[in-house]
Amino acid sequence: MKTVYVGMTADIIHPGIVNIVHQASLFGEVLVGLLTDSAIAKYKRLPYLSYEQRKQVVESLRDVSRVVPQEEWSYIPNLKKYRPDIIIHGDDWKTGVLSKEREDVYRVMAELGGEVVEIPYTQGINSTAFNESLTSIGTTPDLRLKTLRRLIAAKPVVRIMEAHSGLSGLIIEHLEIPKEDGVHRFDGMWSSSLTDSASKGKPDIEAVDITTRLQDLTQILECTTKPIIYDGDTGGIPEHFVFTVRTLERNGISAVIIEDKRGLKKNSLFGTEVEQQLMPVEEFCEKIQAGKRAQVTREFMIIARLESLIAGKTTDDALERALAYVGAGADGIMIHSKESSGGDIREFCYRFRGEYKNIPLILVPTTYNQYTETELASWGANIIIYANHMLRASYPAMLAAAKTILEHERAKEADELCMPIKDILELIPGAK
Ligand code: SPV
Ligand code: MG
């Protein structure tokens, strides 16, 4: 009996897949290489179903003999490992992004003495089209909430961008840039206290309450599907924090980050220009524990944010606190600094990683922005947050247009600073 290899994601089992598997079974025993979350994450969004769920579905297909993980986007490592007699693929890979992969597969199968069989692609049915329509239907709070942990497990570094409105959320939801190592996109959104406050003309001092911030968040939730990390400031008193945790979970937010400051909170990027009081370690641990006790889902994350470096304290102080917070149940650590060299952050990361290999580490490189995501990941970071860039980019653009109109006493000159009317009309699907 020959072995026939078929690679697939199988998030949605449709007649096109059933057809390929059936065709494969006519040649021999069907070995399905099921792409893992990390194999998929380089090129596509994470599937809706987890690997285990997809495996369960594929194993139950009549024509499938065995399912093995395909850990890479490329078929090559598995072809070398399992040495199938035949690999079967839809003929849609002759052109487009998969054409290079097709060449490699032909070469490797020839080396292995095997064969490549291409079968006609089922017109009008493919997973990408299904995925697009699923995205347009939306997501559920439960599904969205769980996605952050899956992304952390699947990706070398999770890329998060600040959103403060539906419109900024839409950019983050849809923007994609094809690069050599895959398709780059933002993995999720940061609900920033700084930009939520600034967009309301308020200072970043916890003056905008959670009910008000949830109104902005609701706009974002309505038109996006990606996970959200909520900037919880100090979290308030523990008795209030427990309600925040449940409110966020109910809305499908994946994580809250709370910082270990007390008294009147001022924005961290002021550093020691303003008084930044740190909370005693025990007290902050109690707040984390209260939050963990209150949470209903298993997947929600409470991340402890260290303000030691912001308050002019040492890396030793930050590390000591980090260990205590992890001990208290924090699901991740965010370390912040306004130093532009990044040296203090790097030192912290190395020392923290010396203690904990796997606790998620979050960085917000606003001032030390010369480092790439790959460099920050090599220090041990799992999540990079671009904390304020959508708002900071929009303000100068609005200001320039307003200035031009004031100066010329008409709007003609502002046109080149603005998107065309046609584009704004068509920006949101379904407007016509
Ligand atoms: C925010 O975006 O509100 C933050 C990050 O908390 S920072 O402004 O750098 O403190
Ligand atoms: Mg903040």
Side-chain angles (χ1 to χ4, degrees):
M1 193 76 162
K2 289 189 170 174
T3 311
V4 190
Y5 191 90
V6 185
M8 63 175 74
T9 299
D11 199 17
I12 304 155
I13 297 290
H14 53 74
I17 292 181
V18 173
N19 179 38
I20 285 207
V21 171
H22 180 65
Q23 297 288 328
S25 73
L26 303 178
F27 291 89
E29 270 190 348
V30 178
L31 173 66
V32 169
L34 188 62
L35 272 78
T36 59
D37 276 7
S38 28
I40 295 161
K42 267 192 152 179
Y43 284 88
K44 296 189 173 187
R45 296 172 58 119
L46 282 187
Y48 285 83
L49 302 179
S50 69
Y51 178 84
E52 286 309 321
Q53 291 170 320
R54 291 183 284 122
K55 182 162 181 259
Q56 207 183 338
V57 173
V58 176
E59 276 174 344
S60 74
L61 294 180
R62 191 184 48 210
D63 292 324
V64 170
S65 298
R66 194 151 76 100
V67 179
V68 294
Q70 182 174 320
E71 315 262 5
E72 301 282 333
W73 179 256
S74 165
Y75 295 92
I76 307 301
N78 264 11
L79 294 183
K80 289 184 174 164
K81 183 168 174 186
Y82 296 101
R83 309 176 69 90
D85 302 292
I86 296 169
I87 173 172
I88 246 188
H89 200 285
D91 64 0
D92 53 320
W93 66 344
K94 285 184 176 164
T95 54
V97 284
L98 284 177
S99 57
K100 163 89 179 51
E101 176 69 12
R102 177 174 180 262
E103 276 172 33
D104 293 344
V105 167
Y106 266 94
R107 184 176 39 77
V108 170
M109 287 306 280
E111 282 164 21
L112 295 172
E115 195 187 335
V116 182
V117 174
E118 292 176 349
I119 64 160
Y121 163 75
T122 312
Q123 285 302 330
I125 303 173
N126 72 68
S127 324
T128 307
F130 269 112
N131 263 330
E132 274 166 21
S133 40
L134 266 185
T135 310
S136 72
I137 295 166
T139 184
T140 65
D142 183 53
L143 209 53
R144 189 196 302 250
L145 191 156
K146 291 176 178 165
T147 311
L148 184 64
R149 281 196 192 257
R150 286 179 66 197
L151 283 165
I152 295 171
K155 298 195 70 178
V157 64
V158 177
R159 196 182 282 129
I160 301 288
M161 173 59 103
E162 169 261 330
H164 55 273
S165 62
L167 199 57
S168 55
L170 276 178
I171 292 177
I172 300 163
E173 178 78 12
H174 296 295
L175 187 64
E176 288 188 349
I177 297 186
K179 307 246 296 196
E180 270 198 356
D181 62 343
V183 177
H184 286 213
R185 57 172 71 80
F186 291 105
D187 297 304
M189 293 164 276
W190 166 240
S191 168
S192 151
S193 68
L194 172 64
T195 68
D196 269 4
S197 309
S199 60
K200 290 171 183 52
K202 295 248 171 80
D204 183 15
I205 54 170
E206 300 190 270
V208 183
D209 63 16
I210 178 157
T211 310
T212 311
R213 287 188 59 197
L214 270 174
Q215 290 170 359
D216 286 354
L217 260 179
T218 303
Q219 295 176 23
I220 296 168
L221 289 168
E222 291 228 357
C223 61
T224 66
T225 62
K226 293 186 177 178
I228 298 175
I229 303 176
Y230 184 81
D231 176 0
D233 289 318
T234 65
I237 58 174
E239 291 83 345
H240 291 176
F241 181 52
V242 295
F243 288 103
T244 302
V245 165
R246 292 204 170 172
T247 302
L248 294 175
E249 280 188 289
R250 205 165 45 244
N251 282 283
I253 309 299
S254 303
V256 63
I257 301 189
I258 50 170
E259 56 196 271
D260 58 356
K261 292 212 291 251
R262 72 168 171 193
L264 178 62
K265 189 219 85 151
K266 299 270 173 73
N267 185 275
S268 303
L269 299 175
F270 283 124
T272 49
E273 274 171 49
V274 296
E275 200 195 344
Q276 307 268 15
Q277 256 191 53
L278 295 188
M279 186 170 244
V281 179
E282 264 89 87
E283 247 182 85
F284 196 68
C285 286
E286 279 164 25
K287 199 184 304 196
I288 294 168
Q289 283 161 344
K292 289 308 291 176
R293 277 196 303 271
Q295 87 179 54
V296 179
T297 61
R298 230 169 8 121
E299 292 84 2
F300 185 74
M301 298 174 76
I302 298 182
I303 296 167
R305 162 171 168 177
L306 299 153
E307 291 286 294
S308 303
L309 303 175
I310 295 292
K313 298 272 191 324
T314 59
T315 319
D316 282 345
D317 182 79
L319 193 68
E320 192 185 309
R321 284 171 173 270
L323 303 189
Y325 301 161
V326 172
D331 300 294
I333 290 291
M334 169 186 154
I335 177 76
H336 205 18
S337 169
K338 72 181 282 282
E339 263 297 308
S340 55
S341 76
D344 52 350
I345 293 283
R346 184 174 39 212
E347 185 196 333
F348 176 87
C349 290
Y350 286 162
R351 292 179 66 186
F352 182 75
R353 276 284 167 257
E355 301 283 343
Y356 291 104
K357 288 275 160 285
N358 297 317
I359 299 278
L361 190 53
I362 293 94
L363 300 184
V364 182
T366 304
T367 52
Y368 54 100
N369 52 16
Q370 65 275 37
Y371 298 102
T372 63
E373 292 157 0
T374 310
E375 284 167 320
L376 299 173
S378 78
W379 299 358
N382 301 86
I383 301 183
I384 306 298
I385 301 180
Y386 299 98
N388 43 48
H389 299 77
M390 300 300 270
L391 191 77
R392 280 170 61 209
S394 63
Y395 184 81
M398 291 192 291
L399 191 64
K403 259 190 184 164
T404 305
I405 292 174
L406 263 189
E407 216 160 272
H408 294 91
E409 301 176 31
R410 64 178 193 185
K412 183 174 167 48
E413 291 74 14
D415 256 10
E416 65 187 46
L417 300 173
C418 299
M419 69 197 288
I421 291 289
K422 185 175 179 306
D423 291 1
I424 181 82
L425 289 179
E426 287 170 4
L427 184 65
I428 314 292
K432 227 180 205 165

